Amino acid sequence: MQLQDYGLILAFFVLVLAPAPWLGRYLYRAMEGERTLLTPLLQPLERACYRFAGIDRKREQDWKTYALALLAFTLASLLTLFAILLLQGVLPLNPQQLPGLEWTLAFNTAVSFVTNTNWQAYSGEAALSYFSQAVGLAVQNFVSPAVGLAILVAFSRGIARKSSAGIGNFWVDLTRATLYGLLPLCLILALLLVWQGVPQTFMDYAQAKTLLGADQTIPLGPAASQIAIKQLGTNGGGFFGVNSAHPFENPTALSNLLELAAILLIPAALVFSFGHYVRDLRQSRAILACMLILFVIGLGVTLWAEHQPNPALAALPIEQAGSMEGKESRFGVAGSALWAVTTTAASNGSVNAMHDSFSAIGGLVPMFNMMLGEVIFGGVGAGLYGMLLFVLIAVFLAGLMIGRTPEYLGKKLEAREVRLLVATLLVMPVGVLVLSALAVSLPGPAASITNPGAHGFSQALYAYTSGTANNGSAFAGFGANTPFHNLLIGLAMLLGRFGYILPILAIAGSLAAKKRAPLNDNSFPTHGPLFVTLLTLTILLVGGLTFLPALALGPLAEHLAF
Amino acid sequence: MLKQFRPAIAMLGLMTLITGVAYPLLVTTVAQVVFPEQANGSLLRNEQGQVVGSALLAQNFEGARWFQPRPSAAGFATVASGASNLAQSNPALAERIAQDAQRLLGEGSAPVPLELVTTSASGLDPHLTPAAARWQVARIAAARQLPSASLERLIEQHTERSMIGPDVVNVLALNLALADNRAFAENESTP
């Protein structure tokens, strides 16, 4: 590790954590319709949206109506995007005259962007028109994190309110999250990225004659606007095939820092928004402490692993240093390792280096981060509602230990809530273990594996983990673009999204309806070091232990065989 | 659920207009006015105004007379970019690196810098570490019959330093300087 590496890590933590309390308060106020800095500018637009769509912004929805509205919006999005991708050949803004996608690929891609996964079985510059990118994908890049944020605030209201049937209005939450939350930040980041060298144009690709006389096509497009929301909305779907490793997508060390910080900016801020909802910022600090502990452990392990020379090259007459295969010079080992941990802690899934070429342990950490359900900061909204599920489970376990009815912030957790919690715990194991076992057992699908030995199994395991966790990063050697994987990973993504969303909204509804029990001396405190420890251990044991056998067959076996 | 479809379709249409049309158009307009160079791909032109490449994308250079960039798994293809995605444990990676190291040893002394035998993530990595560029100086100096010191100076001039990332030097910038700079042209011998 060199001095600049410490500089990068320090600058990263400052950019993520310093604005979080302020941004968290802003997001809380914006989502509750209170006056903010941007209200004078955005309120007319917001009101116009409600008028046009026929929405009464003051009308509260119960959890079932909220869920139905969300499902209707998702279905409309899914069908629209699917149609755009199939028909891009006859749609406008297609200077390269690219044909429509094959239907399983179009299905996979539509599901991928609607579920905030951004798994990409295609290469952007070779397969998608500007229309598909900007009007199809970029729209979902905005609304899919906005849906995540909406669910989080609905859940927060469920915990904060008492004896209430309503948990908010989905349409209002969706609109505010997009207009007040995502758009302003994206405008700023997009322009910063153009300044650093990211293209932003609707002109055709440029043709160059290189210094040695070869022809070079220079792919262009409205990249910066899409990359900004790709990072800030924890989407991760690259404008170019190799994502943020592409010199146009991430041109400098500074753009790398900005894109890195953008991944966790909103998720870290939302921890504070939650504190404002429940009127207790100690809860925020406890949750943030747990996230930071898990994040720093993962970062430390990955940095160490990637700085080790590859033992297979020990006898060669080359410099013996950390792994540089599949990494870019301007990011180096540390900038790549930090990105890998960040993008999988959140449900971002963008990459600036190829995880497939990471060391066995360096590749294990990103996979493990996803298997925990992406609760270490996590996706916009999605990360924190996943984390709050673990909080409830930790509270339930503590209740069992001390023999009292478990309570969180004065809300009793009863059989119905616990049943729903257990249902969400099954999502990751089913998606990851069952589906990847299916994929590697069948001869056809298993042919997508491109590396030999244990690492080959890791490729398939990573793909299904990424899909179910709605991450979208890959061990990119895996040949994912086959009808089988397109459909099955599509299924994994739907399971990973709605397997959480529906139980969470149900829990939100049932908590909102409860009375608030007064806190007393016997209540188990959900802040302070004791609870942080309990929560961290719960995540590692409940979330992690399930996957140990699978990890032993993949990255651990690869590491030990060396 | 049917009752929810009218707002669903209306909202999707509105969001498409705002985030899919207005937002990219606004960013494009501002970017084209404020940062026109970068927004159009940081294109480099020769004296005749023809595009010779982008300052940000690697070009393939072969032969002893040029600084060579990192090897590209996709053969420097720009559509579509790509990486090797070889695992550390994959014997094909060790084999490839052994062959490349053997070939490069004819051009400089051991150990060969790691960057010159590993493919980048994009296949279009425009940079090298200054050390990996300096490693090539002896070869280029011999081929061009130039003093090593002037090449060392060239690398020094083009080194980009950052507080938050490794020092790097742009290979295309170095080679453009080799091709254009009169000081170098005077000394050039015929290949």
Side-chain angles (χ1 to χ4, degrees):
Chain A
M1 294 266 291
Q2 293 178 326
L3 199 59
Q4 295 105 311
D5 299 339
Y6 292 104
L8 171 69
I9 292 168
L10 182 71
F12 167 76
F13 278 113
V14 169
L15 278 183
V16 169
L17 295 178
W22 174 83
L23 185 60
R25 184 163 177 274
Y26 164 81
L27 288 170
Y28 163 75
R29 291 183 66 89
M31 293 305 289
E32 290 307 298
E34 292 176 24
R35 198 170 172 79
T36 65
L37 199 65
L38 295 175
T39 304
L41 207 63
L42 292 174
Q43 201 174 50
L45 185 60
E46 184 196 343
R47 296 275 165 88
C49 287
Y50 300 149
R51 255 198 313 280
F52 179 80
I55 293 157
D56 177 2
R57 75 192 149 87
K58 295 204 174 102
R59 185 157 166 187
E60 290 273 321
Q61 294 168 328
D62 61 19
W63 80 267
K64 282 182 188 150
T65 316
Y66 200 99
L68 284 178
L70 186 154
L71 288 174
F73 185 71
T74 305
L75 195 61
S77 298
L78 205 55
L79 293 175
T80 307
L81 186 52
F82 184 60
I84 289 177
L85 294 171
L86 281 181
L87 301 174
Q88 72 170 5
V90 295
L91 289 169
L93 281 178
N94 185 7
Q96 307 304 313
Q97 298 176 356
L98 297 162
L101 300 187
E102 179 264 333
W103 78 269
T104 61
L105 181 59
F107 165 76
N108 180 283
T109 307
V111 170
S112 168
F113 278 74
V114 169
T115 58
N116 194 239
T117 309
N118 294 31
W119 171 263
Q120 293 175 290
Y122 60 89
S123 185
E125 66 272 46
L128 291 188
S129 71
Y130 293 170
F131 186 88
S132 301
Q133 296 255 27
V135 182
L137 303 185
V139 174
Q140 289 307 317
N141 280 353
F142 273 97
V143 294
S144 68
V147 167
L149 212 161
I151 296 158
L152 173 70
V153 298
F155 192 52
S156 305
R157 289 182 194 123
I159 295 172
R161 289 178 178 180
K162 50 194 172 197
S163 313
S164 157
I167 55 169
N169 182 311
F170 173 74
W171 305 113
V172 173
D173 289 343
L174 175 77
T175 310
R176 288 181 180 157
T178 309
L179 296 185
Y180 291 84
L182 296 165
L183 255 184
L185 288 170
C186 283
L187 278 170
I188 298 169
L189 182 62
L191 290 172
L192 286 172
L193 290 177
V194 179
W195 168 51
Q196 286 299 299
V198 178
Q200 179 70 28
T201 172
F202 282 96
M203 304 298 279
D204 296 1
Y205 293 1
Q207 297 298 330
K209 204 70 153 171
T210 67
L211 212 52
L212 295 193
D215 290 312
Q216 189 185 38
T217 300
I218 297 180
L220 296 170
S225 55
Q226 196 165 330
I227 293 163
I229 183 59
K230 170 194 95 169
Q231 298 303 107
L232 283 164
T234 54
N235 292 288
F239 192 86
F240 300 103
V242 291
N243 212 294
S244 277
H246 199 288
F248 272 164
E249 190 142 342
N250 190 2
T252 62
L254 180 59
S255 69
N256 195 48
L257 170 66
L258 294 172
E259 290 184 18
L260 263 169
I263 297 176
L264 294 191
L265 187 68
I266 297 177
L270 287 174
V271 179
F272 289 93
S273 309
F274 174 71
H276 286 289
Y277 271 99
V278 298
R279 310 215 169 280
D280 185 354
L281 286 170
R282 292 175 307 177
Q283 307 299 330
S284 303
R285 288 192 281 271
I287 290 171
L288 193 67
C290 170
M291 289 173 167
L292 279 172
I293 290 169
L294 291 168
F295 187 88
V296 168
I297 294 173
L299 179 61
V301 172
T302 311
L303 280 171
W304 169 81
E306 290 308 294
H307 276 96
Q308 304 305 308
N310 181 351
L313 309 176
L316 298 179
I318 60 168
E319 182 192 0
Q320 299 294 323
S323 154
M324 277 305 285
E325 180 76 11
K327 294 193 179 74
E328 299 279 300
S329 309
R330 63 194 179 285
F331 312 140
V333 171
S336 306
L338 175 59
W339 188 297
V341 175
T342 308
T343 192
T344 51
S347 78
N348 188 276
S350 63
V351 295
N352 75 348
M354 293 300 138
H355 296 182
D356 217 348
S357 298
F358 271 37
S359 62
I361 300 298
L364 181 146
V365 173
M367 224 184 305
F368 190 67
N369 276 347
M370 294 188 286
M371 286 166 171
L372 294 182
E374 288 168 346
V375 294
I376 313 171
F377 296 101
V380 170
L384 188 55
Y385 65 63
M387 180 55 114
L388 287 170
L389 292 177
F390 275 117
V391 169
L392 297 185
I393 291 165
V395 166
F396 174 66
L397 293 177
L400 290 181
M401 283 188 265
I402 58 175
R404 285 175 54 92
T405 312
E407 267 177 36
Y408 183 57
L409 300 172
K411 290 293 175 77
K412 279 192 169 35
L413 299 183
E414 290 163 301
R416 176 178 152 81
E417 290 84 50
V418 174
R419 268 201 300 272
L420 289 163
L421 279 177
V422 171
T424 64
L425 282 181
L426 291 174
V427 170
M428 286 305 296
V430 169
V432 175
L433 300 176
V434 176
L435 297 186
S436 60
L438 193 64
V440 293
S441 329
L442 298 170
S448 293
I449 289 169
T450 55
N451 275 300
H455 191 89
F457 172 69
S458 298
Q459 285 185 307
L461 183 64
Y462 197 108
Y464 284 87
T465 305
S466 178
T468 314
N470 290 168
N471 183 276
S473 68
F475 274 6
F478 187 71
N481 186 12
T482 68
F484 179 88
H485 293 302
N486 279 338
L487 294 175
L488 203 63
I489 294 175
L491 184 70
M493 293 188 282
L494 287 172
L495 174 72
R497 182 81 164 170
F498 295 100
Y500 279 99
I501 286 180
L502 297 177
I504 278 171
L505 287 176
I507 295 174
S510 114
L511 288 182
K514 284 177 199 275
K515 288 200 193 74
R516 182 192 294 272
L519 292 173
N520 58 43
D521 290 348
N522 291 333
S523 310
F524 182 73
T526 50
H527 52 85
L530 182 65
F531 185 73
V532 172
T533 311
L534 179 69
L535 177 59
T536 310
L537 290 177
T538 304
I539 293 169
L540 288 175
L541 290 180
V542 178
L545 212 55
T546 325
F547 299 102
L548 199 62
L551 291 171
L553 289 174
L556 287 175
E558 185 191 1
H559 179 71
L560 294 174
F562 247 153
Chain B
M1 188 160 173
L2 280 176
K3 229 170 55 190
Q4 302 294 341
F5 270 105
R6 180 177 122 59
I9 290 162
M11 285 305 283
L12 184 62
L14 281 168
M15 290 300 145
T16 303
L17 279 179
I18 295 170
T19 66
V21 179
Y23 162 71
L25 283 178
L26 180 62
V27 176
T28 307
T29 311
V30 178
Q32 289 289 338
V33 172
V34 185
F35 308 113
E37 280 298 312
Q38 295 97 311
N40 292 312
S42 309
L43 300 179
L44 301 169
R45 293 170 201 275
N46 62 15
E47 281 151 12
Q48 291 82 49
Q50 289 155 337
V51 179
V52 296
S54 163
L56 295 175
L57 301 185
Q59 297 186 359
N60 189 13
F61 284 97
E62 282 169 355
R65 296 165 44 79
W66 302 102
F67 283 99
Q68 283 161 15
R70 298 181 65 189
S72 166
F76 295 92
T78 50
V79 182
S81 47
S84 76
N85 284 310
L86 293 174
Q88 281 202 352
S89 58
N90 193 332
L93 177 68
E95 256 168 59
R96 192 201 76 207
I97 292 182
Q99 278 173 12
D100 287 359
Q102 213 52 51
R103 178 174 54 75
L104 285 168
L105 268 187
E107 304 172 6
S109 53
V112 178
L114 191 57
E115 293 203 307
L116 292 179
V117 289
T118 50
T119 62
S120 63
S122 62
L124 295 169
D125 188 346
H127 295 112
L128 285 175
T129 54
R134 277 197 296 272
W135 189 84
Q136 305 185 40
V137 161
R139 181 196 74 222
I140 299 167
R144 290 186 178 258
Q145 298 185 338
L146 283 170
S148 294
S150 63
L151 290 171
E152 301 268 3
R153 215 174 313 122
L154 184 71
I155 294 171
E156 185 59 28
Q157 281 164 5
H158 282 88
T159 299
E160 301 160 24
R161 293 193 170 77
S162 163
M163 298 288 293
I164 47 170
D167 292 352
V168 286
V169 49
N170 188 307
V171 179
L172 181 57
L174 290 177
N175 285 332
L176 281 170
L178 284 181
D180 293 350
N181 192 313
R182 249 187 236 139
F184 286 113
E186 281 165 18
N187 288 320
E188 272 202 56
S189 62
T190 45

